[in-house]
Amino acid sequence: MQSPESSTSWVIPPDLQTARSSLLTALLAAQSLRVTSTMRAWIFFVLCLAGRALAAPQQQEALPDEAEVVEEPVAEITEEPVGANPVQVEVGEFDEPAEETEEVVAENPCQNHHCKHGKICELDENNSPMCVCQDPTSCPAPVGEFEKVCSNDNKTFDSSCHFFATKCTLEGTKKGHKLHLDYIGPCKYIAPCLDSELSEFPLRMRDWLKNVLVTLYERDEDNNLLTEKQKLKVKKIHENEKRLEAGDHPVELLARDFEKNYQMYIFPVHWQFGQLDQHPIDGYLSHTELAPLRAPLIPMEHCTTRFFEACDLDNDKYIALDEWAGCFGIKDQDIDKDLVI
């Protein structure tokens, strides 16, 4: 089942809609999975910071509208709105109106040239854009502890920028190939996951995925969290009177609900796979694609890593749809790639 993808670096989905869903998903995990109030506050700050950065609109410079100048003893100038910029520039506010000329600004070749995390765009001798490793010392100073991240070699970095810039300098080496971002927050002791705890983890995860989808459906006033096809699927779950409401339920109740209302859990499991399978969309989840789900959960759910490792049945470093669905108890006959909307 080897996927053509070979990179192990962690890339956050660039699409804003996907990013918003991923952020809301991880935030709801802090409510639905067993976490302390301190940890909820911590993950809230982390995700709000990421959400604000992802959602920040690009500002555009407003240009003045052309206005007709009438040579009258008293010139009347009609004010018209100029773009959406609150700082308006009006013709006629200067003593001597000058003829308008269109300023030609040379386009920066790096403007639309995308570089992956840890690299920045520079121009070569032919004025062509190229990606080079970012100097870790050029990364912004961290605001607080919540910006720190922990790598899989148990080293704390001041921010994700510092981590990816450092990883870039190791590109082409064995150490660089193995190095990846493990979780959000400074490195700490993660207790080993016991077999009994591992069996409970998918019970909470299944219930959580269902509740996340229902919450997205309830909050999707602007139709930008779920597609129409997804909303039709979730509507059936939302209106089902037998649906178990969100809460801190004992695992025995979660197990019984899965057995009684099995059909409610099929689509949420497929939906989450589709949300993660983005870079590229190939029917496999790499470590990179799992990161937006794993990284916020590991500090709160110590069985996260072991669970996803167990899902990779053939140990090829990728989780296929059938492996993913099987991890959550979905029967073979109910695994359907067409449900990955």
Side-chain angles (χ1 to χ4, degrees):
M1 292 184 188
Q2 184 65 36
S3 165
E5 179 182 341
S6 60
S7 172
T8 58
S9 64
W10 180 50
V11 181
I12 299 177
D15 181 77
L16 180 58
Q17 178 179 347
T18 303
R20 288 184 60 186
S21 296
S22 296
L23 293 174
L24 181 57
T25 296
L27 180 57
L28 289 169
Q31 299 175 345
S32 151
L33 299 178
R34 297 176 179 174
V35 297
T36 65
S37 60
T38 301
M39 186 59 70
R40 291 179 185 173
W42 171 83
I43 196 66
F44 177 83
F45 280 117
V46 173
L47 297 176
C48 281
L49 180 67
R52 183 177 58 184
L54 288 169
Q58 298 293 325
Q59 295 183 350
Q60 294 182 346
E61 182 180 358
L63 299 177
D65 288 349
E66 294 184 1
E68 181 181 1
V69 179
V70 182
E71 295 183 358
E72 294 288 340
V74 179
E76 180 179 352
I77 299 174
T78 302
E79 294 184 1
E80 295 185 2
V82 183
N85 194 319
V87 181
Q88 303 294 317
V89 179
E90 299 179 359
V91 176
E93 65 180 359
F94 302 103
D95 292 336
E96 295 182 3
E99 181 182 355
E100 288 191 12
T101 57
E102 183 178 353
E103 182 180 356
V104 179
V105 180
E107 182 180 352
N108 185 349
C110 278
Q111 184 174 356
N112 297 317
H113 190 77
H114 175 71
C115 295
K116 68 178 184 178
H117 288 284
K119 292 191 174 186
I120 57 175
C121 180
E122 291 185 356
L123 301 180
D124 61 15
E125 56 186 12
N126 297 321
N127 205 38
S128 298
M130 64 178 182
C131 294
V132 298
C133 288
Q134 181 178 2
D135 184 351
T137 60
S138 68
C139 291
V143 177
E145 286 286 306
F146 56 85
E147 285 196 65
K148 294 185 177 182
V149 297
C150 183
S151 61
N152 62 318
D153 60 354
N154 204 38
K155 180 180 178 181
T156 298
F157 290 82
D158 286 340
S159 68
S160 59
C161 175
H162 290 84
F163 168 78
F164 287 115
T166 301
K167 179 178 172 62
C168 184
T169 63
L170 299 172
E171 224 173 41
T173 67
K174 186 176 181 180
K175 181 178 180 181
H177 181 72
K178 291 184 176 181
L179 182 66
H180 62 255
L181 192 153
D182 201 20
Y183 55 87
I184 297 173
C187 296
K188 66 175 186 177
Y189 172 72
I190 303 292
C193 175
L194 304 178
D195 292 343
S196 58
E197 296 171 321
L198 182 62
S199 63
E200 296 176 357
F201 183 78
L203 296 175
R204 295 194 297 275
M205 280 286 291
R206 271 194 311 250
D207 185 61
W208 165 55
L209 290 177
K210 179 196 65 181
N211 291 327
V212 164
L213 263 180
V214 169
T215 303
L216 288 175
Y217 175 82
E218 294 172 342
R219 298 183 184 181
D220 195 13
E221 298 178 356
D222 300 325
N223 297 317
N224 56 5
L225 298 177
L226 296 172
T227 66
E228 288 301 320
K229 288 184 178 180
Q230 290 171 342
K231 290 173 72 173
L232 289 175
K233 295 286 185 181
V234 184
K235 183 180 180 181
K236 296 179 180 179
I237 301 174
H238 182 264
E239 296 179 349
N240 194 318
E241 296 179 355
K242 297 181 179 180
R243 174 170 58 89
L244 181 65
E245 297 290 340
D248 187 13
H249 304 297
V251 293
E252 294 80 12
L253 177 59
L254 295 176
R256 288 198 302 270
D257 187 68
F258 178 67
E259 183 178 349
K260 288 183 177 180
N261 300 305
Y262 167 76
Q263 294 295 327
M264 289 190 194
Y265 294 90
I266 296 176
F267 179 67
V269 170
H270 284 77
W271 168 80
Q272 183 63 83
F273 185 91
Q275 290 293 297
L276 297 172
D277 183 24
Q278 296 291 327
H279 306 286
I281 302 176
D282 58 0
Y284 298 88
L285 298 182
S286 65
H287 186 277
T288 297
E289 292 170 310
L290 279 172
L293 181 63
R294 293 180 67 257
L297 286 181
I298 290 177
M300 300 180 292
E301 276 280 355
H302 64 284
C303 284
T304 303
T305 298
R306 185 179 172 189
F307 174 76
F308 288 125
E309 288 176 349
C311 290
D312 182 17
L313 298 178
D314 56 5
N315 295 315
D316 67 347
K317 306 299 182 183
Y318 296 92
I319 299 178
L321 176 60
D322 58 337
E323 293 175 319
W324 171 269
C327 267
F328 290 100
I330 304 302
K331 302 172 184 177
D332 290 344
Q333 62 267 28
D334 296 319
I335 301 175
D336 184 358
K337 64 179 181 180
D338 291 335
L339 290 178
V340 182
I341 304 174

